[in-house]
Coordinates of all heavy atoms in Angstrom, one line a residue:
Chain A
A931 N 112.3 57.5 24.9 CA 111.5 57.6 23.7 C 111.7 58.9 23.0 O 111.8 58.9 21.7 CB 110.0 57.4 24.1
E932 N 111.7 60.0 23.7 CA 112.0 61.3 23.1 C 113.4 61.4 22.5 O 113.6 61.9 21.4 CB 111.8 62.4 24.2 CG 112.1 63.8 23.7 CD 111.3 64.2 22.5 OE1 110.1 63.7 22.3 OE2 111.7 65.1 21.7
L933 N 114.3 60.8 23.2 CA 115.7 60.8 22.6 C 115.7 60.0 21.3 O 116.4 60.4 20.3 CB 116.7 60.1 23.7 CG 118.1 59.9 23.2 CD1 118.8 61.3 22.9 CD2 118.9 59.2 24.3
L934 N 115.0 58.9 21.3 CA 114.9 58.1 20.1 C 114.3 58.9 18.9 O 114.8 58.8 17.8 CB 114.2 56.8 20.3 CG 114.9 55.8 21.2 CD1 114.0 54.7 21.7 CD2 116.0 55.1 20.3
R935 N 113.3 59.6 19.2 CA 112.7 60.5 18.2 C 113.7 61.5 17.6 O 113.8 61.6 16.4 CB 111.4 61.2 18.7 CG 110.2 60.4 18.7 CD 109.0 61.2 19.0 NE 108.9 61.5 20.5 CZ 108.4 60.7 21.4 NH1 107.9 59.5 21.0 NH2 108.3 61.0 22.7
R936 N 114.4 62.1 18.5 CA 115.4 63.1 18.1 C 116.6 62.4 17.3 O 117.1 63.0 16.3 CB 116.0 63.8 19.3 CG 114.9 64.6 20.0 CD 115.5 65.6 21.0 NE 114.4 66.3 21.7 CZ 114.6 67.3 22.6 NH1 115.9 67.7 22.8 NH2 113.6 67.8 23.2
L937 N 116.9 61.2 17.7 CA 118.0 60.5 17.0 C 117.5 60.2 15.6 O 118.3 60.3 14.6 CB 118.4 59.2 17.7 CG 119.2 59.4 19.1 CD1 119.2 58.1 19.9 CD2 120.6 59.9 18.8
E938 N 116.3 59.8 15.5 CA 115.8 59.4 14.1 C 115.7 60.7 13.2 O 115.8 60.6 12.0 CB 114.5 58.7 14.3 CG 114.6 57.4 15.0 CD 113.7 56.4 14.6 OE1 112.5 56.7 14.4 OE2 114.1 55.2 14.5
A939 N 115.5 61.8 13.9 CA 115.5 63.1 13.2 C 116.9 63.7 13.0 O 117.0 64.8 12.6 CB 114.5 64.1 13.9
S940 N 117.9 62.9 13.4 CA 119.3 63.3 13.3 C 119.6 64.6 14.0 O 120.4 65.4 13.6 CB 119.7 63.5 11.8 OG 119.6 62.2 11.2
D941 N 119.0 64.8 15.2 CA 119.3 65.9 16.1 C 120.8 65.8 16.5 O 121.2 64.8 17.0 CB 118.4 65.8 17.3 CG 118.7 66.9 18.3 OD1 119.6 66.7 19.2 OD2 118.1 68.0 18.2
S942 N 121.5 66.9 16.3 CA 123.0 66.8 16.5 C 123.3 66.6 18.0 O 124.3 65.9 18.3 CB 123.7 68.0 15.9 OG 123.2 69.2 16.6
D943 N 122.6 67.2 18.9 CA 122.9 67.0 20.3 C 122.6 65.6 20.7 O 123.4 65.0 21.5 CB 122.0 68.0 21.2 CG 122.4 69.4 21.1 OD1 123.6 69.7 20.6 OD2 121.7 70.3 21.5
A944 N 121.5 65.1 20.2 CA 121.2 63.7 20.6 C 122.3 62.7 20.0 O 122.7 61.8 20.7 CB 119.8 63.3 20.0
L945 N 122.7 63.0 18.8 CA 123.7 62.1 18.2 C 125.0 62.2 19.0 O 125.7 61.2 19.3 CB 123.9 62.5 16.7 CG 122.7 62.2 15.8 CD1 123.0 62.8 14.4 CD2 122.5 60.7 15.6
A946 N 125.4 63.5 19.4 CA 126.7 63.7 20.1 C 126.6 63.0 21.5 O 127.6 62.4 21.9 CB 127.0 65.1 20.2
A947 N 125.4 63.1 22.1 CA 125.2 62.5 23.4 C 125.4 61.0 23.3 O 126.1 60.3 24.2 CB 123.9 62.8 24.0
C948 N 124.9 60.3 22.3 CA 125.1 58.9 22.1 C 126.5 58.5 21.8 O 127.0 57.5 22.3 CB 124.1 58.4 21.1 SG 122.4 58.2 21.6
E949 N 127.1 59.3 21.0 CA 128.5 59.1 20.6 C 129.4 59.1 21.9 O 130.2 58.2 22.1 CB 129.0 60.2 19.7 CG 130.3 60.0 19.0 CD 130.3 58.9 18.0 OE1 129.2 58.5 17.5 OE2 131.4 58.4 17.7
R950 N 129.1 60.1 22.8 CA 129.9 60.2 24.0 C 129.6 59.1 25.0 O 130.5 58.5 25.5 CB 129.5 61.6 24.7 CG 130.2 61.9 26.0 CD 129.9 63.3 26.4 NE 130.4 63.6 27.7 CZ 129.6 63.5 28.8 NH1 128.4 63.1 28.7 NH2 130.1 63.9 30.0
A951 N 128.4 58.7 25.1 CA 128.0 57.6 26.0 C 128.6 56.3 25.4 O 129.2 55.5 26.2 CB 126.5 57.4 26.0
G952 N 128.6 56.1 24.1 CA 129.2 54.9 23.5 C 130.7 54.9 23.7 O 131.3 53.8 24.0
W953 N 131.4 56.1 23.6 CA 132.8 56.1 23.9 C 133.1 55.7 25.3 O 133.9 54.9 25.6 CB 133.3 57.5 23.6 CG 134.7 57.8 24.1 CD1 135.9 57.4 23.6 CD2 135.0 58.4 25.4 NE1 136.9 57.8 24.4 CE2 136.4 58.4 25.5 CE3 134.3 58.9 26.4 CZ2 137.1 58.9 26.6 CZ3 134.9 59.5 27.5 CH2 136.3 59.5 27.6
A954 N 132.3 56.3 26.3 CA 132.5 56.0 27.7 C 132.3 54.5 28.0 O 133.0 53.9 28.7 CB 131.6 56.9 28.6
L955 N 131.2 54.0 27.4 CA 130.9 52.6 27.6 C 132.1 51.7 27.0 O 132.5 50.7 27.6 CB 129.6 52.3 26.8 CG 128.8 51.1 27.2 CD1 128.6 50.9 28.7 CD2 127.4 51.2 26.5
G956 N 132.7 52.2 25.9 CA 133.8 51.5 25.3 C 135.0 51.5 26.2 O 135.7 50.5 26.3
I957 N 135.2 52.6 26.9 CA 136.3 52.7 27.9 C 136.1 51.8 29.0 O 137.0 51.0 29.4 CB 136.5 54.2 28.4 CG1 136.8 55.2 27.3 CG2 137.5 54.2 29.6 CD1 138.2 55.0 26.7
A958 N 134.9 51.8 29.6 CA 134.7 50.9 30.7 C 134.7 49.4 30.3 O 135.2 48.6 31.0 CB 133.3 51.2 31.4
L959 N 134.2 49.2 29.1 CA 134.3 47.8 28.6 C 135.7 47.3 28.2 O 136.0 46.2 28.3 CB 133.3 47.6 27.5 CG 131.8 47.6 27.9 CD1 130.9 47.7 26.7 CD2 131.5 46.3 28.7
T960 N 136.5 48.3 27.8 CA 137.9 47.9 27.6 C 138.5 47.4 28.9 O 139.2 46.4 28.9 CB 138.8 49.2 27.2 OG1 138.2 49.6 25.9 CG2 140.2 48.9 27.1
S961 N 138.3 48.1 30.0 CA 138.8 47.6 31.3 C 138.1 46.3 31.7 O 138.8 45.4 32.1 CB 138.4 48.6 32.4 OG 139.2 49.8 32.2
A962 N 136.8 46.1 31.4 CA 136.1 44.8 31.7 C 136.7 43.7 30.9 O 136.9 42.6 31.4 CB 134.6 45.0 31.4
V963 N 136.9 43.9 29.6 CA 137.5 42.8 28.7 C 138.9 42.5 29.2 O 139.2 41.3 29.3 CB 137.5 43.2 27.3 CG1 138.2 42.2 26.4 CG2 136.0 43.4 26.7
N964 N 139.7 43.5 29.5 CA 141.0 43.2 30.0 C 140.9 42.3 31.3 O 141.8 41.5 31.6 CB 141.8 44.5 30.3 CG 142.5 44.9 29.1 OD1 143.2 44.1 28.4 ND2 142.3 46.2 28.7
L965 N 139.9 42.6 32.2 CA 139.9 41.9 33.5 C 139.2 40.5 33.3 O 139.7 39.6 34.0 CB 139.2 42.7 34.5 CG 140.0 43.9 35.0 CD1 139.1 44.9 35.8 CD2 141.1 43.4 36.0
V966 N 138.1 40.4 32.6 CA 137.4 39.1 32.7 C 137.2 38.4 31.3 O 136.8 37.3 31.3 CB 135.9 39.3 33.3 CG1 136.0 39.9 34.7 CG2 135.0 40.2 32.4
D967 N 137.7 39.0 30.2 CA 137.8 38.3 29.0 C 136.5 37.5 28.6 O 136.5 36.3 28.5 CB 139.0 37.3 29.0 CG 139.2 36.6 27.7 OD1 139.0 37.2 26.7 OD2 139.7 35.5 27.8
P968 N 135.4 38.3 28.4 CA 134.1 37.6 28.0 C 134.2 37.2 26.5 O 134.9 37.8 25.8 CB 133.0 38.6 28.3 CG 133.8 39.9 28.0 CD 135.2 39.7 28.5
E969 N 133.4 36.2 26.1 CA 133.4 35.8 24.7 C 132.7 37.0 23.9 O 133.2 37.3 22.9 CB 132.6 34.6 24.5 CG 132.6 34.1 23.0 CD 131.7 33.0 22.7 OE1 130.8 32.6 23.4 OE2 132.0 32.4 21.6
R970 N 131.6 37.5 24.4 CA 130.9 38.6 23.7 C 130.3 39.5 24.7 O 130.2 39.2 25.9 CB 129.9 38.0 22.8 CG 128.8 37.3 23.5 CD 127.9 36.5 22.5 NE 128.5 35.3 21.9 CZ 128.5 35.0 20.6 NH1 127.8 35.7 19.8 NH2 129.1 33.9 20.2
I971 N 129.9 40.7 24.2 CA 129.2 41.7 25.0 C 127.8 41.9 24.5 O 127.7 42.0 23.3 CB 130.0 43.0 25.0 CG1 131.4 42.8 25.7 CG2 129.3 44.1 25.7 CD1 132.4 43.8 25.4
V972 N 126.8 41.8 25.4 CA 125.5 42.1 24.9 C 125.0 43.3 25.6 O 125.0 43.5 26.8 CB 124.6 40.9 25.3 CG1 123.1 41.1 24.9 CG2 125.1 39.6 24.7
L973 N 124.5 44.3 24.8 CA 124.0 45.6 25.3 C 122.5 45.5 25.5 O 121.8 45.3 24.5 CB 124.4 46.7 24.5 CG 125.9 47.0 24.3 CD1 126.2 48.3 23.4 CD2 126.7 47.1 25.6
G974 N 122.1 45.7 26.7 CA 120.6 45.6 27.0 C 120.1 46.8 27.7 O 120.8 47.9 27.8
G975 N 118.9 46.7 28.3 CA 118.3 47.9 28.9 C 118.1 49.0 27.8 O 117.7 48.7 26.7

Side-chain angles (χ1 to χ4, degrees):
Chain A
E932 175 58 26
L933 177 61
L934 286 162
R935 275 189 287 276
R936 295 192 186 185
L937 289 166
E938 298 210 320
S940 298
D941 176 274
S942 61
D943 287 348
L945 291 170
C948 282
E949 189 71 21
R950 178 169 171 269
W953 166 82
L955 202 47
I957 296 294
L959 287 170
T960 295
S961 294
V963 172
N964 274 312
L965 284 168
V966 300
D967 183 34
E969 184 187 19
R970 63 188 74 222
I971 293 161
V972 180
L973 298 186

